[in-house]
Structure formats: structure tokens, C-alpha cells
Amino acid sequence: MIKQKYEVLKNGLVVVLVKNDELHSFNASLYIKYGSAINRFYSNNVDYKCKDGIAHLLEHVLIDNSPYGNLFKHFTNKYYSLRGTTYREYTKFSIHGYEDFELGIEELIRSINDSGFTKEGIDKSRGPVLEEVREAKNRHGYEYHQHKIYSLFKDDVFLSGTGESEDVKDFTYEDLRLIYNTFYKPSNEILVVDGNFDMDKILKVIEKTYDSIDRVYNTSEVIPYYDDFVPSKDIDTYEDKKDLSVVGISFKIPMTKFTIDEKGHLTHYLDWYLRYNFGRRSEFHKNIIEDKISNYNAITGFSYYPYGLDILKLSIELYTDNVDEFVKRVMDELKVITMPDKKAKELYKRKHFFATLIDLDDSSFLANSFAINYIYTGRYEFASIEDLEKLSFKEMEKLLKRLDFSTYSIVYRKND
Amino acid sequence: MKLSLKNDVNVVINNNTKFTYFEILFPFLKNDYSDNYHFEIMKELVSTYSLKNKTIIEFAENNESNYIFSFKADSYTRGNMKFLYFSFYLPGEEFFDDFNLEKSLKVVKNNIFKSILLDREYSEKLFDNIYKRIGKSLSAALSDPKSLFHDMWNELYDFNHIKLHTNSEKINALNSTSLDGVIKFYKELVLKGNYTVLIAGNVSDKDKYIDTFNKVFKRNEVKMEFDVEYHEHFKPDSFGHVDKKVPYSLSIARVSYHKEDYTERDRYLLYMLDDFLMKKENFYLFNNLRLENNLVYSCDSTIYPSFNTITMTAFLSKDNIDKALEIFDNTLVSFKDKELFEKAKERLLKAQSIKLIDTLDRKLYKLSVKRNRLLKLETFEDECEIAKTITYEEFNEFIDALKKDAELIMIGDKND
């Protein structure tokens, strides 16, 4: 039996509780609405600029320098697991455990919100972070990813998240304190808890813990901003003798004229549209294979960039050297938005219904999807089966046709 | 050990799910590696096309029209045995009015037994595309340092490719692959073979599921009897010290420790040592390399039970290699300390008991236990029972018997 609720506390913290009394464990995730892409912002009439990598370093610093010592060690000693991850728009700290849950939640909150990190502590965290930067740079596809992002945004804030070694070495105590004081505050956080626990008791623990933290928060509004860049349509070509040739088209689609509901619905529609029109089961794929453009299926993806940009990035890639032909075919396909026939519509609805049923059975999904939805839309909503009734193929066609594909960049990684 | 399987349909009821999961399992003795792509290509073709539905979309839509979700072919290897299985999900009967169990199973039966491979002429171009795609992927498989290192290790530690396979071996296997070989594999293994069945999930009436399955699927009268050797043993090619410079900024250092005379208990001692080094509850290697000395972002330990070997690996800067090698040796020797051993063992046993509770929350766990019992594989519970019996004396003797037999250092020569 799953019970769910949310509350916004007087300090601004959003608390999401999803109880499933059939489970034997619990999870808690603290989301901070600050991630690797928020490096330029106005606050209190001051224009701040930080380099890529600072959010990620701060994540490490908070884990390494908690009031309980190294937080990984601390929680592992209690047989919990701990994970910290820096995403583009948010940073997340999660624990999973079985015992002493109230204490675990308290310690998580305190570690992240009441950190007394020092200059020495930061220096200690730098070592592993620099190694992580090294690993990231040597990862398969890293350079290609950088070319794609840079050609679309010409802005380092979206590049890697881990940053450049020189910048990581240069971040000062003052830099990190500024970021910490600006963004790590209850009004900028969401705490989600799921599993088997007493909802009222946990809510009291959360309130009491935040109340006991003696910090002065920066309450000024923070407005992230980005450079407005129109990418060139020239193909960015570079050579790589080790990896397969690949062509990637990335579209920068403005979303300012879409409502929040429309943006949310587009997430479902685009998922279907890209799979059915460019994926393995599409005519596009069939023709690519038959005409020997490639032996692979196209890889598609999209993501939303909310703060200060309000754009949707959509990418379509293919392992091929037939650059011009691939680009032409993609553009031709996008000019005419092909909608599913009656049978495909029925099957889509059925599959989506079944997948949603399974998701709604998962308390962790319910809790975390609430948080992600809130981060991107500002809405307080649990996923439900009724969401499906709000979707329609009529709307799908209208919204897809409103997408503006005129701004894009092309990257070609060439293997001779 | 003799393994004898019956044509049974084994049902595990878990009405706490909204689906029923099916697994149709074909066991066979592992063949020569040169047949590897006959097998892999067969799996792809059987799970994507059929005689009646010759395109990807027709096949997918036919499945979806009959409420068959996530139909796939996969396999796993244990010792001298390989297991091919077809798996899929059907919804619980209460969700769709026109869902018909018998009808869905008939479609699955045609998917498996009336594969596109029965139309040789049509299969030819499909085979050609897959063959070229795999070939291209293999040609670019070593494009990052970790893949390259892994390949080097396999080449050195298992020169005759008994257990560890290299990229060049895969290329050779692909070169010897033919459509006729794929068809032959399909006919012998699937059409003439026999299988056992596992069903788990939302099963309203167990007998109805068994009877309907048996009504739809007719069986060959082939006995499934095997001399299984799940725990084979080979002598590694202990190569001493090898170092190699590569044009990356990431360096990788690995050492292996091998025990010459094998005993049945060695496998459990390796599991225990692996746990002490890198599992959540004990993380001595991670602690020593990263938390205490800041040398790495990531490291790992891997056991090779077939070789009676354990390895430790660090991903780091070239300046820290010597220090890491020292830490590897010191960490291993540290487990000779009785107090440390007792503490680590206690934590392992506690973590195992927690993991057993965790399994109660996993929807298909009961099925995996049933499967392991049928195939006479060890379950996690079995491992836990044996871990309890390991004494300090036995473990100490094991540590003494482990000798460093190989050291591979890949030196990243490129500056950051």
C-alpha cells in the first residue's frame, strides 16, 4: 500500500514523502536546485561568474568534510549507502538504509546544510576530484561530447561538469563559500523520502533538524544567465583515428512560448516521436540500412535547459561518413511531422499505460519524479495514471509542429 | 556434477506485481569461442524478426498487439555451461479486457520457433548488416584507455584465450562467422533443443498458466542431461611485470595475486577477500588509495575464480603509480591482522544479513532463487552460510598462499 504526500515547510523546504509499508528499507535524497550549469548569475545586484567544475568540487567537499567526518565512511559504517551526484541543473545526495532512519535523515540534512568545510578540507578533496577529471577526459566519447556542446552553446558552463584541472586547482575557499551560501539553503532544496517509515515522525525530525541549524542564508533572488549564441551551420569536423565516424545534429529549440503543461507533455510526445520516426522500428532506419548510409540505427535524445535559457536541446546522431545525406534526411523528416497511424496510436497508448502502471508501483519513482518535475517546472505534482488522460495525439501533432528546428549545429567526428 | 532438467513449467507466484514474467531457458554445453558470433547474431535475429513479421516494426507491433512487452533473447555462462533464454512480460490479467494468455503465448512460440532464419534468402541481408556493424564496433573497441588496458590484461593473463577474450580474438571469431553457421546453431539449439520454463509474478491460477503453456508449446523429447562443471580451473599465464606507455593522460596499475594449489574453499575465500577490499561494508582498498592518500578517484578489485586469482586496480596519474603498488601489497598483508579480520568478517556477515532482507523487496528475487536451485547453482544464501564458517586461521593461510604473479602498468604519457 503506497501513501504519498508533500509539504512546503515554513523555511521553504519542499518535503516529499512516499510510504510503502511492504518494503523493508528506506531512501532519502536531498536535491539542491543548483548544478554544474549554473555558473553565471545575478544576486543582490552583483554579477557572479564561476568556472565549470565548482558545483562538482563542492559536492565532494561536503561529503569529505561533514560534521561526522567523511560522510561516505560514516554512513558505510552504519551499513547505509551514500551517493552524491552533480547534474546540470541540480545536485543530489542520497542515502539508502535499514536501521536508525530518523538519525540517518538528520545526519544527511546536517552534513549538507551545516557544513564547516575549511580551506584544508577543500585542498584534501581536490586530489580525488582531479583524478575524476582525468578519468572523465579519457572516457570514450568525451571529446565528441565537448565538440557538440561547444558548437551549440559556445559556452563552457555546459561542457563537462567536472571542469578543467587548472580551474579545479584554482577554486578558492571564498569561491566555494559563495556558492554554498547562495544555493545551499532550505528554500532551494527538496527532500524526498521513500520506503517504510512513519511519515509524521519523519516530518517532525526534518523540521526539528533544520530549525536547529544555525546559519544565515542568502535570501536574495538568484538569476542565472547565459550568453545568447546562435550556432553556425558549418559542420564542425575533427579527426579521430581510434573511434568510429559519427555525425551529430543538435537543435536548440526555444521554449519560451510553451506553457509548463505543454513542456511536460512534450516530454512524452518527443520520446515517442523520436523513437518511432528515427529509431530502429522506423522507415528512416530501414532506409538508412537499405541505402547503405550506415549499419547502425540513429541515436536520439533531448533535454531541457530551464534556468535563464528556456530551450530544448534535441540531438540526432548516426555512425556514418555520409554526412550530407544523413543531414538531408533528418531535415526532410523534421519538415513533415509524421504522426502514427491508428494502430500505432493504440499500441502506443497501451504500452504507455502498462509502463505507467509499473512505475506507479515504485515508491522511489514516485518520490524522485516529483522532485525532478518540481525542479524543472516549479509544480507540486505526483505522477498518476490520470496524467495519461491529459495526453492526446491531437495535442501531440500541434505541439510537435510548433517546434522550431531552424537553429542547430553539426559535428562530424571523422575516422579516416 | 550431473544436471538433469525436466520439461517443467515452474511457477513462482508474486501477486505484488502488475505483470507476469516468463523465461524460456535452453541449456547447452559451451561451445568453442569461434562460434561466439553465430550465437550472438542468432539471438539478435530471433528476437527482432520472424518468418511472419519480417521487419522490425511488424515484429514489434505484433508483440505489442498481443500484450507481449520487452521480448528479448539473452544468455549467461557458468563454467562449461551456457544458457540461452527468451524472456518477456505479460500484463496481469485484470488490466486489459482483451488480453488472452493463450493467444499471447502462441505469438511468443512463433517468435522463437518460426524465426526469420528459416528464410535463408531474406536473412542474408539482415545478417550482412549485423556482421558489418559488429565488425565496425570491434575495429573501434579499443579507443579509450580502460578498454585498451582490459584488452592488454586479457592478452597477457590468458594468452591461450581459455577464459579471457581479447578484441583480436573477437575479430577472428567474427571472421569465421557465416549465415549458414547461424542457421545451423538455431536449428540445433532451438528447433531440436529442449528447454525449461520459469514464470513469476501476477499469476491468478498457477495450473491455468502451466496448462496453457503446455498446450501451446510442444516439446522435443530431448533429454536435458549434462555433466556440468560450474567451477573450472585453469593455470594463468603469470607474466611478471609489464609496463607500456600510451598516449593518454590516465594511467592504470593492476596487480594480481594468485594461489597455486586450488581447493574447493578457495572460491569463498576469494569472495571474502574481494568484499574486504571493495564492497560497501568493507572498503579497505578504497580507503587506503583514496580516503587516506588521495591518489585516485576510482579503484577496484576483481576475482577470477577460474584462475584462483584476485586483482587490484587503480586509475590514476603516472606520478602516483609506485605509491599505489605499495598500497596494494600493504592492504593485502593487513588482513593477516586478526583483529582486522574479525572486524571485517563481522561487517561482511551483517551486510549479508541486510542484503537478504533487501531481496524481499525485489519483485523477481524468488524467481532467481528458483532458477538457481533448478540449475544447481549456488544461491546467495549458500554463500552466506559458507562465509560464516571461514576462520581467521584459514583466511590467514590463504593470504600467505597468495603470491603476486602479475603486474600490468599502463603509463599515460600525455600531459593533462
Side-chain angles (χ1 to χ4, degrees):
Chain A
M1 174 76 177
I2 291 182
K3 278 191 202 159
Q4 57 197 27
K5 73 173 187 184
Y6 77 90
E7 267 195 43
V8 183
L9 303 188
K10 58 182 188 302
N11 61 9
L13 175 76
V14 177
V15 178
V16 181
L17 305 173
V18 181
K19 179 183 156 91
N20 184 344
D21 51 23
E22 284 169 5
L23 296 179
H24 298 78
S25 63
F26 42 78
N27 303 291
S29 293
L30 183 60
Y31 289 79
I32 320 298
K33 279 176 67 178
Y34 164 72
S36 62
I38 303 171
N39 286 344
R40 254 169 267 152
F41 52 93
Y42 293 108
S43 179
N44 227 7
N45 292 320
V46 180
D47 182 358
Y48 294 97
K49 287 186 170 95
C50 303
K51 294 270 189 165
D52 185 32
I54 194 168
H56 177 247
L57 176 62
L58 181 57
E59 175 224 309
H60 274 254
V61 165
L62 293 176
I63 289 176
D64 293 340
N65 299 278
S66 83
Y68 314 97
N70 180 285
L71 202 59
F72 171 81
K73 244 181 171 168
H74 173 74
F75 276 121
T76 307
N77 282 337
K78 287 150 68 97
Y79 303 99
Y80 278 49
S81 60
L82 165 77
R83 195 178 168 91
T85 318
T86 306
Y87 295 91
R88 213 175 51 224
E89 275 86 27
Y90 60 92
T91 304
K92 183 177 166 188
F93 301 88
S94 304
I95 54 173
H96 172 78
Y98 293 87
E99 296 165 338
D100 296 331
F101 187 38
E102 287 151 33
L103 184 59
I105 289 239
E106 186 189 325
E107 289 172 346
L108 175 68
I109 294 168
R110 239 181 245 295
S111 299
I112 306 308
N113 282 278
D114 198 10
S115 178
F117 64 83
T118 62
K119 190 174 176 297
E120 291 70 32
I122 295 168
D123 287 340
K124 198 171 178 211
S125 294
R126 261 188 251 268
V129 171
L130 288 169
E131 291 308 317
E132 191 177 352
V133 170
R134 192 195 311 279
E135 281 195 44
K137 286 183 140 183
N138 282 275
R139 206 163 284 148
H140 174 78
Y142 177 85
E143 198 181 351
Y144 173 63
H145 172 77
Q146 302 295 77
H147 271 266
K148 278 196 305 176
I149 292 293
Y150 206 72
S151 68
L152 199 65
F153 296 106
K154 201 99 181 170
D155 192 320
D156 64 357
V157 301
F158 299 114
L159 280 177
S160 71
T162 42
E164 293 293 330
S165 303
E166 292 314 310
D167 297 331
V168 172
K169 285 176 193 165
D170 286 345
F171 290 135
T172 64
Y173 170 81
E174 288 73 27
D175 292 333
L176 271 91
R177 266 292 155 194
L178 166 73
I179 296 293
Y180 185 69
N181 291 343
T182 306
F183 293 102
Y184 278 75
K185 54 194 180 187
S187 58
N188 205 41
E189 293 173 6
I190 309 121
L191 178 58
V192 314
V193 183
D194 73 89
N196 197 346
F197 57 93
D198 183 322
M199 285 171 120
D200 293 328
K201 227 174 169 181
I202 284 299
L203 197 54
K204 285 196 174 79
V205 165
I206 294 168
E207 279 175 316
K208 197 172 158 202
T209 308
Y210 272 95
D211 285 346
S212 71
I213 293 171
D214 186 19
R215 256 182 78 197
V216 174
Y217 299 113
N218 177 354
T219 54
S220 333
E221 195 189 359
V222 179
I223 306 167
Y225 70 90
Y226 302 92
D227 294 336
D228 195 10
F229 169 71
V230 178
S232 151
K233 295 190 170 100
D234 295 333
I235 301 173
D236 170 11
T237 304
Y238 76 98
E239 270 192 34
D240 185 335
K241 290 192 195 322
K242 295 189 290 285
D243 217 333
L244 293 175
S245 292
V246 66
V247 181
I249 312 169
S250 305
F251 297 90
K252 203 170 175 181
I253 302 169
M255 299 300 282
T256 45
K257 294 190 175 142
F258 290 84
T259 65
I260 289 178
D261 277 336
E262 288 173 341
K263 287 174 194 172
H265 292 183
L266 265 171
T267 313
H268 299 285
Y269 299 148
L270 273 171
D271 186 53
W272 173 85
Y273 174 73
L274 291 171
R275 237 168 334 116
Y276 277 67
N277 290 285
F278 292 95
R280 287 182 79 214
R281 54 199 284 173
S282 64
E283 279 295 310
F284 182 89
H285 172 69
K286 187 163 160 278
N287 294 334
I288 288 279
I289 302 292
E290 281 179 4
D291 299 341
K292 299 189 192 310
I293 308 293
S294 173
N295 301 108
Y296 293 83
N297 50 277
I299 304 163
T300 60
F302 62 92
S303 56
Y304 180 45
Y305 289 61
Y307 314 130
L309 262 183
D310 207 3
I311 64 128
L312 182 77
K313 173 177 148 301
L314 188 150
S315 65
I316 304 173
E317 314 178 324
L318 187 70
Y319 289 113
T320 184
D321 282 299
N322 286 300
V323 184
D324 294 337
E325 187 57 34
F326 171 62
V327 171
K328 181 181 176 305
R329 287 182 187 220
V330 168
M331 297 308 185
D332 287 345
E333 190 69 39
L334 291 174
K335 272 188 199 130
V336 180
I337 300 290
T338 312
M339 290 299 290
D341 58 29
K342 191 174 170 197
K343 183 180 180 187
K345 279 181 184 172
E346 193 45 54
L347 292 178
Y348 168 68
K349 272 163 59 175
R350 177 187 297 180
K351 200 169 165 185
H352 199 188
F353 173 74
F354 187 55
T356 305
L357 274 183
I358 305 241
D359 282 341
L360 295 180
D361 228 12
D362 181 344
S363 51
S364 211
F365 169 82
L366 286 168
N368 288 285
S369 62
F370 183 110
I372 305 289
N373 184 48
Y374 172 72
I375 287 169
Y376 284 93
T377 67
R379 291 235 170 127
Y380 304 106
E381 278 171 359
F382 282 106
S384 73
I385 205 77
E386 285 74 30
D387 293 341
L388 294 178
E389 287 158 20
K390 295 175 193 164
L391 302 175
S392 76
F393 286 102
K394 202 169 162 188
E395 187 194 35
M396 185 196 280
E397 189 170 11
K398 264 172 60 180
L399 292 183
L400 290 175
K401 283 182 173 168
R402 277 169 57 193
L403 294 175
D404 177 0
F405 293 104
S406 60
T407 306
Y408 58 87
S409 66
I410 304 171
V411 175
Y412 171 36
R413 179 180 72 203
K414 188 174 166 185
N415 180 337
D416 274 335
Chain B
M1 177 175 63
K2 285 261 184 258
L3 174 67
S4 184
L5 292 170
K6 295 183 190 163
N7 287 354
D8 289 345
V9 178
N10 304 280
V11 181
V12 175
I13 297 173
N14 179 3
N15 285 330
N16 189 21
T17 65
K18 293 188 161 63
F19 57 81
T20 308
Y21 170 79
F22 289 71
E23 199 170 282
I24 299 173
L25 188 70
F26 291 77
F28 61 103
L29 282 167
K30 198 172 70 178
N31 43 310
D32 190 71
Y33 193 77
S34 59
D35 262 330
N36 184 51
Y37 288 106
H38 288 138
F39 184 62
E40 292 301 318
I41 294 175
M42 182 202 76
K43 277 193 305 189
E44 182 169 341
L45 287 171
V46 176
S47 59
T48 317
Y49 311 89
S50 68
L51 213 50
K52 199 174 160 200
N53 299 291
K54 291 185 167 163
T55 67
I56 298 175
I57 187 158
E58 283 168 12
F59 186 87
E61 283 193 347
N62 189 44
N63 282 345
E64 287 160 14
S65 300
N66 289 281
Y67 297 98
I68 300 159
F69 299 110
S70 304
F71 178 83
K72 70 170 188 176
D74 211 336
S75 61
Y76 50 93
T77 306
R78 295 286 184 271
N80 69 337
M81 289 295 294
K82 206 151 175 160
F83 300 93
L84 164 70
Y85 67 93
F86 298 94
S87 64
F88 55 96
Y89 293 80
L90 301 182
E93 288 177 284
E94 67 267 40
F95 296 111
F96 299 102
D97 292 335
D98 58 342
F99 169 65
N100 182 293
L101 176 64
E102 186 173 332
K103 200 167 166 232
S104 297
L105 290 178
K106 277 181 178 165
V107 170
V108 170
K109 180 184 144 187
N110 285 339
N111 285 351
I112 298 173
F113 296 104
K114 295 211 189 299
S115 160
I116 195 71
L117 284 166
L118 295 174
D119 181 344
R120 193 194 184 286
E121 197 183 322
Y122 194 92
S123 297
E124 204 144 12
K125 61 176 180 181
L126 300 175
F127 169 84
D128 189 56
N129 180 57
I130 297 173
Y131 180 92
K132 284 180 176 153
R133 186 196 342 121
I134 296 174
K136 282 192 175 160
S137 297
L138 288 175
S139 71
L142 305 181
S143 59
D144 66 282
K146 285 187 181 179
S147 306
L148 182 63
F149 182 85
H150 183 74
D151 200 66
M152 279 165 59
W153 176 263
N154 288 356
E155 178 64 39
L156 288 165
Y157 208 64
D158 184 9
F159 184 74
N160 292 309
H161 310 148
I162 299 167
K163 203 69 187 149
L164 307 177
H165 304 291
T166 59
N167 203 52
S168 61
E169 196 192 353
K170 289 177 186 173
I171 291 171
N172 288 340
L174 183 68
N175 285 340
S176 67
T177 301
S178 66
L179 176 60
D180 288 326
V182 175
I183 292 171
K184 185 176 170 221
F185 220 93
Y186 171 67
K187 284 180 175 169
E188 282 173 8
L189 177 56
V190 178
L191 295 188
K192 294 180 190 171
N194 208 344
Y195 48 91
T196 194
V197 183
L198 291 138
I199 299 175
N202 195 327
V203 172
S204 51
D205 175 353
K206 183 173 165 175
D207 289 336
K208 175 186 162 189
Y209 274 74
I210 295 173
D211 292 344
T212 309
F213 191 94
N214 286 332
K215 182 182 171 190
V216 170
F217 286 80
K218 303 285 178 271
R219 311 293 200 97
N220 292 321
E221 291 306 319
V222 172
K223 284 192 178 157
M224 288 186 284
E225 284 174 357
F226 306 93
D227 280 317
V228 304
E229 187 61 63
Y230 286 141
H231 306 291
E232 307 165 298
H233 297 97
F234 309 104
K235 203 168 148 49
D237 297 309
S238 302
F239 57 84
H241 175 98
V242 166
D243 59 59
K244 188 179 165 71
K245 283 189 179 153
V246 290
Y248 296 108
S249 59
L250 180 69
S251 298
I252 306 176
R254 173 178 291 173
V255 296
S256 65
Y257 303 90
H258 163 69
K259 180 176 174 258
E260 191 67 33
D261 301 316
Y262 170 76
T263 69
E264 274 296 319
R265 295 273 289 182
D266 284 346
R267 184 166 78 250
Y268 304 103
L269 291 154
L270 278 176
Y271 295 156
M272 183 170 270
L273 180 56
D274 188 39
D275 179 275
F276 289 0
L277 288 170
M278 277 304 293
K279 289 293 181 291
K280 281 199 315 244
E281 61 278 3
N282 290 305
F283 46 93
Y284 286 92
L285 184 65
F286 183 79
N287 184 68
N288 295 346
L289 282 171
R290 176 165 159 179
L291 299 181
E292 296 294 322
N293 290 287
N294 283 341
L295 298 181
V296 302
Y297 168 67
S298 64
C299 56
D300 70 44
S301 65
T302 308
I303 54 172
Y304 296 84
S306 305
F307 293 124
N308 220 13
T309 291
I310 186 163
T311 65
M312 297 188 219
T313 310
F315 305 92
L316 68 186
S317 141
K318 63 183 175 197
D319 300 329
N320 294 328
I321 291 172
D322 288 341
K323 183 81 186 152
L325 293 176
E326 199 186 314
I327 287 173
F328 288 153
D329 287 341
N330 291 345
T331 304
L332 184 67
V333 165
S334 70
F335 296 124
K336 289 175 65 62
D337 180 284
K338 188 170 186 190
E339 207 179 304
L340 192 150
F341 167 81
E342 297 293 0
K343 182 181 163 196
K345 181 184 165 183
E346 191 189 327
R347 290 188 58 78
L348 164 63
L349 296 181
K350 168 85 179 181
Q352 284 179 335
S353 69
I354 289 171
K355 197 170 167 187
L356 282 170
I357 299 171
D358 192 27
T359 62
L360 298 172
D361 294 341
R362 283 166 37 200
K363 294 202 189 314
L364 293 177
Y365 182 71
K366 281 192 216 168
L367 178 114
S368 68
V369 172
K370 181 85 183 175
R371 185 200 297 121
N372 283 1
R373 294 261 178 255
L374 270 175
L375 301 182
K376 294 189 182 172
L377 289 166
E378 255 165 18
T379 62
F380 179 63
E381 284 89 339
D382 297 335
E383 282 175 34
C384 293
E385 285 308 306
I386 294 176
K388 287 175 190 166
T389 67
I390 295 176
T391 62
Y392 166 71
E393 287 73 24
E394 186 182 9
F395 193 77
N396 191 37
E397 209 177 294
F398 181 73
I399 297 290
D400 279 339
L402 283 174
K403 302 290 176 221
K404 188 190 296 190
D405 69 330
E407 202 173 79
L408 176 62
I409 316 293
M410 195 168 87
I411 303 167
D413 223 7
K414 192 174 150 191
N415 288 329
D416 281 340

